[in-house]
Amino acid sequence: MASVTQVSMVFDDDSSAAWNEMFSAPGSPRPIYERLFAELGRYQPAELRQRSEQLSHTFSERGVTFAHSGEERPFPLDVVPRLIGAMEWDHLSRGIGQRVHALEAFLADIYGEGRIFAEGVIPRSVVTSSPYFCRPAFAVDPPNGVRITVAGIDIVRDEIGNFRVLEDNVRIPSGVSYVIENRRAMTQTFASLFSDHRVHPVDSYPAHLFTALRAAAPPNQSDPVIVVLSPGVHNAAYFEHVLLARMMGVELVEGRDLLCRSNHVYMRTTNGERPVHVIYRRVDDDWLDPLQFLPDSTIGVAGLVNCARSGNVVISNGIGNGVADDKLVYTYVPEFIRFYLSEEPLIENVETYRLEDDDVRHEVLGSLASYVVKPVDSSGGKGIIIGPQADEKTLAKTAEAVTESPRNWIAQRTVSLSTHPTLVDDGVSPRHIDLRPFAVNDGEEVWVLPGGLTRVALGEGELVVNSSRGGGSKDTWVLTDESIPLSESRVIKQRLRNFNFSPRQDGNVGRGDQ
Amino acid sequence: MLSRLAESLYWIGRYLERSDDTARIVDSYVHRMVEDPFNDEDATCRSLYSILGIDVDSDEPVTTEQMLQHIVYDADNPNSIAGSLSGAFENARRSREFISSEMWVALNSTRNRLPQMENTARRLGPSQYLLFVRERAALLAGLIDTTLSHDDGWHFLVLGRSIERIDMTARLLRGRVLSEEHAPDWLAFLRACGAMEAFMRSTREIHNANGVATFLLLDRLFPRSVLYSLNLADTCLYEIQPSSQRIATADLARQSLARARGRLEFMDPADLLDQLPELLEMLEETCVRINDAVTDRFFGHEDYVVWSREGGL
Amino acid sequence: MNETLSLTIRHHTGFTYDGLAKSSYNEARMTPITGASQEVRHARVTVQPVVPLSTHADYFGTIVTAFDIQEPHPKLEVEARSNVESRAGLVAPAISWRELRAPALVDFFSEYLFATERTKLAGDVLDPLAEWSQISDLHSCVDAVSAYVRGNVTYLPGATSVEATAQEAWDLGEGVCQDLTHVTIGLLRELGIPARYVSGYLFPLSDADVGEVVAGQSHAWIEYFSGAWTGMDPTNGIPETERHIIVGNGRDYDDVAPLKGVYQGAASSSLGVVVDMSRTH
């Protein structure tokens, strides 16, 4: 019983304000964790460590790695899985679906009619000043209306156990390959843990993505050719690009494999040029088309945006989606949900402060050490300042940067992310975690992959969980509850009945030059 | 299939075969040096360099250690064993969505284990390392044949393997022809090609140089013979032609190949030894020509395209 | 009664390459647009080598002709011909500063109030801002700014490259119409007056007969918002006249560059710009 003592003992040490995912009180696991807790209790810490080494060996052999500072590293997988109950998951996945629908409506609106500006829900200047607002994307209308084929909405659990959205990722969210590989590795090396649990499988993700990409194809294509466009082997997520292409049975291409001619896209094959209709691209907007964006990009495809404009090819996720990821725009997403869907948000944002407002800014700058400050255009945890953990010099520099350009920063309450028992050097200890569920929109419904990527900050007290900051991950189990049929836990599309966005006909209309 | 992918597969075939064949050749030379301590180490190493197409500038005597470093362990040299395996691995990374998981895992773990094998080899001599390389090559060859569909991609891979094998067998024989005194004897050659038993069964004449050369060049049934590899390469070239063009005239690669095969097939085996230097040169040239023709015809994708903004107005 | 002018315009431009360009992708913004002050009767863009062309309106409403060339070519030529009927824009009485600073209006025109890399200004150029903001009539204020720019940046063809920023031209004290336009826009935005860049053609003052071809020029000027968009030519210090033919507008030059593209191959050089114009009646 040594390990049980060990698992429960560290819970006693967990004196932080954070929500502990496994325990409700010292030594007493929450109901959904009871069986896992009992099962884990049968292992000596040394045995857990052995499994852990086996997991990392499996990853190295399979090449499940991400590139970090020029070296390929396995993404550490913790042996203790994270569990989500059926009821809770139902709520989460509906909340995510709702958010994706609202963001879709928002993107269609700002790259078209601009109703939301006319109604004063969000200032036009917030959008036009976003570094991601992409004017060449204007009036590039996807045939089935889907710009967000894949969304990765980052979720955290606050101190009292409520889920909150930390940020939206609707450009090229990555990490789903780890969800699939984590599960594969766990079932192979730790099958016994799965006994007594009914866990939703995760390997149907590629099939859902494929269906969504097919549905996105130009309407006159009965058998569209779909490709995955990767920046190439040196990209951090190359492993994922390969996995998705393989599991969908489509070609993995690089920019140099494609060619635009007279608004059609072709790939170069041993049999000559072959037309391409849907491009699931994992190349950022800036690098995607040297004609429209960075002219010195060697990983893009010249002329691609105009091909998409002409409707002969669909770029997925859409270009210009980054506006929705802008962290200042994020603060308005609850308003989008009310405006476009006439619903209340199912998952709240983390409390966030807009620093362009003089009063708010003064307030925040007055006690900067208690806030988290983020650049609006960052991703992957880059450039984030955690006030309580920052030194005086950093805080002073941050205050200066915020004062200089308040539009480029937001401040958030420092949420103590929930913790989860995690195998570390000296035993099993609570570590902060978050969750990135992956949602796929095929135009009919938003399907959310059960679970998602639970990232864990391996340093004690560390609040940034990103892999680029040395984080690891956990296999995430959504438990099925026999009382809830699976079909109901899917998010059924909430139709935007009253909103029918037609493409804007006249580039000058509504800008006041009449 | 994607041109870039086809090229990667072709080179996986070539690099894997190169690592296997190099291991076999080095093994036979090292074996000879151990057997014959009075052998001129420098000359033997230089002889080995010359058959592998390596220029040596320096007049300093080459030691066995240097030779092993250069031909076996040096990952920066694309012709060394470590370099070939790393080349195969890099191409496999670029074609990972095509090759099977098992093949990928086998290649990845080969690469992961190589540094440790090298450490051991530096202490205990290269033979375990060379054996490991050959075993992995055999494992990979098996996986290539059993876990990939025998479609265009597989044909590109086998084409690469066949071309490399012809080239390496020709080089091996050339070493013997060029500097007989420093090369392993015919028997060692047969062993290097894994052909000892097959040869014995088919001819039972161990010390007949002409017989060995004939076997390695012209045997129709032994898979490492040049003729066998030429036939296999031709089959691959036939299969990867666009279906609409199957009946049309043969392409450049198949023409070169047919010429080489004609040369071999219509020759009097009795003259083989006399003509050997010329024949081997012809075979090496054929490999280069086929390689260029295939590259031109099928791998015509762009390298990274560099775009420039048009000059200001 | 407004005077109208009927013009035939031929705009020819392109690039030559040192050797061959392997392939190229381009967008031409060379087609005049119908609006309050002009009506386009006919417009046509042609390209050498001959390739399929496609057209669309961009975010700013400018007509874009997009095309790509896949065969190796030693030069690229683009020619836009059009037939335009033009009249001088009406200048309506301006709204007040207070109306101009209404939050809704400021938000609506935000894109024309932010500085861009091209229009950004700092230093002594901004000295008279306070003085200008005391001028109650917006039109007079803009005229004052324009006079200031013309007085400090001498119009000199070839003085700057197409890449120049407003600040560079100001520091140099010389520039072409594009530079005077950028500096003026930069200052107006500093004052809180929405201002945008207009690309087009200028028919020279001449007593040319109907049908007689005269050398026109590619030209740039501004529009500022004073209750309506009002055209103004800072290079010549005059309002937008019937001799100004509008192709498009944007935040700065980069939004309306007449021909931009990328190509593979050796260095390129411009064929220069030829604009021929003639009155049709």
Side-chain angles (χ1 to χ4, degrees), chain C residues 261-272:
Chain C
V262 291
Y263 72 101
Q264 264 178 288
S268 66
S269 48
S270 172
L271 282 176

mmCIF file with all atom_site columns, all heavy atoms in Angstrom, chain C residues 261-272:
data_model
loop_
_atom_site.group_PDB
_atom_site.id
_atom_site.type_symbol
_atom_site.label_atom_id
_atom_site.label_alt_id
_atom_site.label_comp_id
_atom_site.label_asym_id
_atom_site.label_entity_id
_atom_site.label_seq_id
_atom_site.pdbx_PDB_ins_code
_atom_site.Cartn_x
_atom_site.Cartn_y
_atom_site.Cartn_z
_atom_site.occupancy
_atom_site.B_iso_or_equiv
_atom_site.pdbx_formal_charge
_atom_site.auth_seq_id
_atom_site.auth_comp_id
_atom_site.auth_asym_id
_atom_site.auth_atom_id
_atom_site.pdbx_PDB_model_num
ATOM 1  N N   . GLY C 1 261 ? 3.969  42.031 -58.062 1.00 0.00 ? 261 GLY C N   1
ATOM 2  C CA  . GLY C 1 261 ? 4.031  40.618 -58.370 1.00 0.00 ? 261 GLY C CA  1
ATOM 3  C C   . GLY C 1 261 ? 5.280  39.972 -57.829 1.00 0.00 ? 261 GLY C C   1
ATOM 4  O O   . GLY C 1 261 ? 6.167  40.643 -57.301 1.00 0.00 ? 261 GLY C O   1
ATOM 5  N N   . VAL C 1 262 ? 5.324  38.665 -57.942 1.00 0.00 ? 262 VAL C N   1
ATOM 6  C CA  . VAL C 1 262 ? 6.531  37.928 -57.593 1.00 0.00 ? 262 VAL C CA  1
ATOM 7  C C   . VAL C 1 262 ? 6.878  37.049 -58.787 1.00 0.00 ? 262 VAL C C   1
ATOM 8  O O   . VAL C 1 262 ? 6.012  36.654 -59.557 1.00 0.00 ? 262 VAL C O   1
ATOM 9  C CB  . VAL C 1 262 ? 6.356  37.048 -56.336 1.00 0.00 ? 262 VAL C CB  1
ATOM 10 C CG1 . VAL C 1 262 ? 6.199  37.907 -55.107 1.00 0.00 ? 262 VAL C CG1 1
ATOM 11 C CG2 . VAL C 1 262 ? 5.190  36.086 -56.487 1.00 0.00 ? 262 VAL C CG2 1
ATOM 12 N N   . TYR C 1 263 ? 8.154  36.775 -58.946 1.00 0.00 ? 263 TYR C N   1
ATOM 13 C CA  . TYR C 1 263 ? 8.585  35.954 -60.065 1.00 0.00 ? 263 TYR C CA  1
ATOM 14 C C   . TYR C 1 263 ? 9.813  35.177 -59.641 1.00 0.00 ? 263 TYR C C   1
ATOM 15 O O   . TYR C 1 263 ? 10.456 35.500 -58.646 1.00 0.00 ? 263 TYR C O   1
ATOM 16 C CB  . TYR C 1 263 ? 8.894  36.828 -61.283 1.00 0.00 ? 263 TYR C CB  1
ATOM 17 C CG  . TYR C 1 263 ? 10.165 37.629 -61.109 1.00 0.00 ? 263 TYR C CG  1
ATOM 18 C CD1 . TYR C 1 263 ? 11.358 37.219 -61.705 1.00 0.00 ? 263 TYR C CD1 1
ATOM 19 C CD2 . TYR C 1 263 ? 10.186 38.762 -60.297 1.00 0.00 ? 263 TYR C CD2 1
ATOM 20 C CE1 . TYR C 1 263 ? 12.527 37.930 -61.511 1.00 0.00 ? 263 TYR C CE1 1
ATOM 21 C CE2 . TYR C 1 263 ? 11.355 39.471 -60.096 1.00 0.00 ? 263 TYR C CE2 1
ATOM 22 C CZ  . TYR C 1 263 ? 12.532 39.050 -60.705 1.00 0.00 ? 263 TYR C CZ  1
ATOM 23 O OH  . TYR C 1 263 ? 13.687 39.738 -60.491 1.00 0.00 ? 263 TYR C OH  1
ATOM 24 N N   . GLN C 1 264 ? 10.111 34.161 -60.426 1.00 0.00 ? 264 GLN C N   1
ATOM 25 C CA  . GLN C 1 264 ? 11.302 33.358 -60.205 1.00 0.00 ? 264 GLN C CA  1
ATOM 26 C C   . GLN C 1 264 ? 12.269 33.683 -61.314 1.00 0.00 ? 264 GLN C C   1
ATOM 27 O O   . GLN C 1 264 ? 11.884 33.590 -62.487 1.00 0.00 ? 264 GLN C O   1
ATOM 28 C CB  . GLN C 1 264 ? 10.953 31.899 -60.413 1.00 0.00 ? 264 GLN C CB  1
ATOM 29 C CG  . GLN C 1 264 ? 10.631 31.107 -59.219 1.00 0.00 ? 264 GLN C CG  1
ATOM 30 C CD  . GLN C 1 264 ? 10.270 29.726 -59.704 1.00 0.00 ? 264 GLN C CD  1
ATOM 31 O OE1 . GLN C 1 264 ? 9.217  29.523 -60.286 1.00 0.00 ? 264 GLN C OE1 1
ATOM 32 N NE2 . GLN C 1 264 ? 11.159 28.781 -59.476 1.00 0.00 ? 264 GLN C NE2 1
ATOM 33 N N   . GLY C 1 265 ? 13.480 34.000 -60.980 1.00 0.00 ? 265 GLY C N   1
ATOM 34 C CA  . GLY C 1 265 ? 14.451 34.238 -62.036 1.00 0.00 ? 265 GLY C CA  1
ATOM 35 C C   . GLY C 1 265 ? 15.412 35.347 -61.674 1.00 0.00 ? 265 GLY C C   1
ATOM 36 O O   . GLY C 1 265 ? 15.470 35.790 -60.530 1.00 0.00 ? 265 GLY C O   1
ATOM 37 N N   . ALA C 1 266 ? 16.151 35.800 -62.683 1.00 0.00 ? 266 ALA C N   1
ATOM 38 C CA  . ALA C 1 266 ? 17.180 36.801 -62.459 1.00 0.00 ? 266 ALA C CA  1
ATOM 39 C C   . ALA C 1 266 ? 16.546 38.156 -62.159 1.00 0.00 ? 266 ALA C C   1
ATOM 40 O O   . ALA C 1 266 ? 15.332 38.323 -62.236 1.00 0.00 ? 266 ALA C O   1
ATOM 41 C CB  . ALA C 1 266 ? 18.075 36.896 -63.684 1.00 0.00 ? 266 ALA C CB  1
ATOM 42 N N   . ALA C 1 267 ? 17.396 39.126 -61.835 1.00 0.00 ? 267 ALA C N   1
ATOM 43 C CA  . ALA C 1 267 ? 16.920 40.442 -61.428 1.00 0.00 ? 267 ALA C CA  1
ATOM 44 C C   . ALA C 1 267 ? 16.025 41.067 -62.489 1.00 0.00 ? 267 ALA C C   1
ATOM 45 O O   . ALA C 1 267 ? 16.139 40.803 -63.677 1.00 0.00 ? 267 ALA C O   1
ATOM 46 C CB  . ALA C 1 267 ? 18.115 41.349 -61.158 1.00 0.00 ? 267 ALA C CB  1
ATOM 47 N N   . SER C 1 268 ? 15.106 41.906 -62.038 1.00 0.00 ? 268 SER C N   1
ATOM 48 C CA  . SER C 1 268 ? 14.196 42.563 -62.969 1.00 0.00 ? 268 SER C CA  1
ATOM 49 C C   . SER C 1 268 ? 14.433 44.056 -62.929 1.00 0.00 ? 268 SER C C   1
ATOM 50 O O   . SER C 1 268 ? 14.966 44.600 -61.972 1.00 0.00 ? 268 SER C O   1
ATOM 51 C CB  . SER C 1 268 ? 12.752 42.276 -62.574 1.00 0.00 ? 268 SER C CB  1
ATOM 52 O OG  . SER C 1 268 ? 12.465 42.870 -61.328 1.00 0.00 ? 268 SER C OG  1
ATOM 53 N N   . SER C 1 269 ? 14.062 44.717 -63.999 1.00 0.00 ? 269 SER C N   1
ATOM 54 C CA  . SER C 1 269 ? 14.050 46.172 -63.940 1.00 0.00 ? 269 SER C CA  1
ATOM 55 C C   . SER C 1 269 ? 12.784 46.670 -64.614 1.00 0.00 ? 269 SER C C   1
ATOM 56 O O   . SER C 1 269 ? 12.221 46.011 -65.494 1.00 0.00 ? 269 SER C O   1
ATOM 57 C CB  . SER C 1 269 ? 15.299 46.749 -64.583 1.00 0.00 ? 269 SER C CB  1
ATOM 58 O OG  . SER C 1 269 ? 15.505 46.124 -65.829 1.00 0.00 ? 269 SER C OG  1
ATOM 59 N N   . SER C 1 270 ? 12.365 47.840 -64.182 1.00 0.00 ? 270 SER C N   1
ATOM 60 C CA  . SER C 1 270 ? 11.095 48.367 -64.647 1.00 0.00 ? 270 SER C CA  1
ATOM 61 C C   . SER C 1 270 ? 11.210 48.865 -66.079 1.00 0.00 ? 270 SER C C   1
ATOM 62 O O   . SER C 1 270 ? 12.230 49.407 -66.492 1.00 0.00 ? 270 SER C O   1
ATOM 63 C CB  . SER C 1 270 ? 10.672 49.506 -63.736 1.00 0.00 ? 270 SER C CB  1
ATOM 64 O OG  . SER C 1 270 ? 9.550  50.128 -64.283 1.00 0.00 ? 270 SER C OG  1
ATOM 65 N N   . LEU C 1 271 ? 10.161 48.655 -66.846 1.00 0.00 ? 271 LEU C N   1
ATOM 66 C CA  . LEU C 1 271 ? 10.107 49.225 -68.187 1.00 0.00 ? 271 LEU C CA  1
ATOM 67 C C   . LEU C 1 271 ? 9.716  50.696 -68.121 1.00 0.00 ? 271 LEU C C   1
ATOM 68 O O   . LEU C 1 271 ? 9.644  51.374 -69.128 1.00 0.00 ? 271 LEU C O   1
ATOM 69 C CB  . LEU C 1 271 ? 9.062  48.492 -69.025 1.00 0.00 ? 271 LEU C CB  1
ATOM 70 C CG  . LEU C 1 271 ? 9.438  47.138 -69.597 1.00 0.00 ? 271 LEU C CG  1
ATOM 71 C CD1 . LEU C 1 271 ? 8.243  46.540 -70.307 1.00 0.00 ? 271 LEU C CD1 1
ATOM 72 C CD2 . LEU C 1 271 ? 10.599 47.296 -70.555 1.00 0.00 ? 271 LEU C CD2 1
ATOM 73 N N   . GLY C 1 272 ? 9.420  51.181 -66.922 1.00 0.00 ? 272 GLY C N   1
ATOM 74 C CA  . GLY C 1 272 ? 8.948  52.554 -66.785 1.00 0.00 ? 272 GLY C CA  1
ATOM 75 C C   . GLY C 1 272 ? 7.458  52.623 -67.068 1.00 0.00 ? 272 GLY C C   1
ATOM 76 O O   . GLY C 1 272 ? 6.810  51.637 -67.405 1.00 0.00 ? 272 GLY C O   1
#
